[in-house]
Amino acid sequence: MSVFNRVLKNFEANKRKKKIQLFVNQIMDEFSLDGTVGVEYTDSLPMRQGRFDRFNSIVIIGIKETLDTSKPITDEDWLGFKNTIHHELTHAKNYMALDHATKEKINNDLFTLKHFAYKLIDEFSAYSSADRKYRQTGLNSTEETVQRALKMLWFNDLFVEQTTSENRYNDADRNEYFVDLCTAVLIHSLRNDKFPSIIETYTGYNEMCRSLVSILEEYSAQLPLNHEEYEKASLRIWEALLIMVPKNRVSLFKRNVGIIF
């Protein structure tokens, strides 16, 4: 590589770094997170992935594609990247706004129904806030897939045995799987104005979706919540989810979702 090309490459790399840092600083200022939350960048994650580590107060942002200066980053890529940063920093903002007692109880109530409610309300807040500013339409699943997967949690008598023996799932894995499915419901609701937009294959699925999303929207607008409010929200969320579950299948459903009742 010639000296000229190395200079151009370094110029582009620095330009991208400055662009990323400027945007992060803007959101940090907007959310008043300076001095309370750290931001780390990793090349092990793509641009549209990140996470908030609430136990260490760190937001981790993927920057893999930005390091290859031989490939251009499109406006669409930058929009998705900004959406991801806004999303993860919203998680941080929501958590830092909680009072100390609520933080302690949430962190000590892992895998409970209250913790499940906390995660869903927080995801709805993050997705809706980021999508309002940096509109995204992409979906990683179809409505048919989500509907079918949720049915298996109350229909399949062998779900626990199959996931434990074949995939080595434990209760924590089943809990994460269930959170992911419910998160898929709320993402579809935010990115598809007609959701639920397919014919339900079992009674109660569409009504469940509408009820769940309505509850998440209601509580998301009231953030920050305290522990007692999360407890009330959790009971309403669970009641909404049971709309799709036949009464004689509720006990099986409770086993399969990995929630501590």
Side-chain angles (χ1 to χ4, degrees):
M1 181 183 293
S2 69
V3 174
F4 180 69
N5 285 337
R6 281 200 300 271
V7 170
L8 283 179
K9 182 177 181 180
N10 292 334
F11 175 78
E12 180 61 26
N14 288 331
K15 182 179 176 182
R16 290 180 179 184
K17 287 178 184 177
K18 288 180 181 179
K19 185 173 183 177
I20 293 168
Q21 194 59 57
L22 178 62
F23 181 73
V24 169
N25 290 344
Q26 288 173 344
I27 302 299
M28 293 282 282
D29 289 343
E30 179 184 344
F31 290 172
S32 301
L33 293 176
D34 279 329
T36 59
V37 174
V39 177
E40 294 183 358
Y41 306 99
T42 176
D43 60 2
S44 64
L45 292 175
M47 288 174 67
R48 299 194 186 208
Q49 286 186 25
R51 63 185 177 88
F52 170 56
D53 178 353
R54 71 176 190 261
F55 297 103
N56 294 302
S57 299
I58 295 173
V59 170
I60 300 168
I61 302 295
I63 57 169
K64 186 175 182 179
E65 297 90 336
T66 68
L67 302 180
D68 185 356
T69 55
S70 66
K71 296 180 180 178
I73 298 177
T74 66
D75 290 343
E76 184 180 355
D77 290 332
W78 281 118
L79 186 68
F81 188 47
K82 289 180 177 181
N83 181 284
T84 298
I85 294 172
H86 187 102
H87 178 110
E88 298 305 333
L89 288 174
T90 299
H91 282 313
K93 179 191 71 169
N94 290 346
Y95 182 72
M96 300 310 293
L98 298 174
D99 63 65
H100 180 71
T102 301
K103 286 179 184 175
E104 275 201 339
K105 289 179 180 178
I106 284 175
N107 292 333
N108 291 329
D109 284 344
L110 300 180
F111 311 119
T112 64
L113 189 59
K114 291 186 288 292
H115 191 264
F116 172 73
Y118 161 75
K119 292 183 77 172
L120 282 193
I121 293 168
D122 192 41
E123 287 296 350
F124 188 90
S125 170
Y127 272 104
S128 58
S129 179
D131 276 18
R132 275 195 301 271
K133 293 201 73 171
Y134 309 102
R135 180 66 175 166
Q136 297 291 291
T137 58
L139 297 163
N140 293 324
S141 61
T142 65
E143 286 190 60
E144 290 85 354
T145 300
V146 175
Q147 184 176 176
R148 188 165 55 248
L150 282 168
K151 180 179 181 179
M152 288 299 101
L153 295 176
W154 58 260
F155 181 79
N156 188 354
D157 294 277
L158 300 177
F159 181 79
V160 170
E161 288 78 3
Q162 288 174 341
T163 55
T164 301
S165 61
E166 295 177 12
N167 300 326
R168 298 183 182 178
Y169 265 38
N170 53 32
D171 284 340
D173 294 321
R174 279 189 285 277
N175 183 278
E176 183 178 356
Y177 177 67
F178 186 47
V179 171
D180 287 345
L181 285 178
C182 292
T183 300
V185 170
L186 71 88
I187 295 172
H188 275 275
S189 75
L190 291 168
R191 297 183 180 179
N192 178 1
D193 293 338
K194 297 180 180 179
F195 178 81
S197 61
I198 61 172
I199 298 174
E200 60 183 11
T201 57
Y202 50 93
T203 302
Y205 172 78
N206 285 350
E207 184 182 350
M208 179 279 293
C209 288
R210 285 188 285 266
S211 180
L212 174 63
V213 170
S214 176
I215 293 167
L216 296 177
E217 187 174 20
E218 175 186 339
Y219 281 99
S220 175
Q222 297 174 28
L223 291 176
L225 305 177
N226 59 37
H227 189 259
E228 289 71 26
E229 289 168 323
Y230 278 117
E231 185 167 9
K232 292 178 182 177
S234 71
L235 296 176
R236 290 182 60 192
I237 288 171
W238 184 248
E239 184 179 351
L241 289 165
L242 290 183
I243 293 172
M244 69 175 175
V245 183
K247 290 184 179 180
N248 64 339
R249 290 280 172 171
V250 172
S251 60
L252 176 65
F253 182 62
K254 291 172 75 172
R255 285 177 60 209
N256 286 342
V257 297
I259 293 175
I260 300 172
F261 290 92

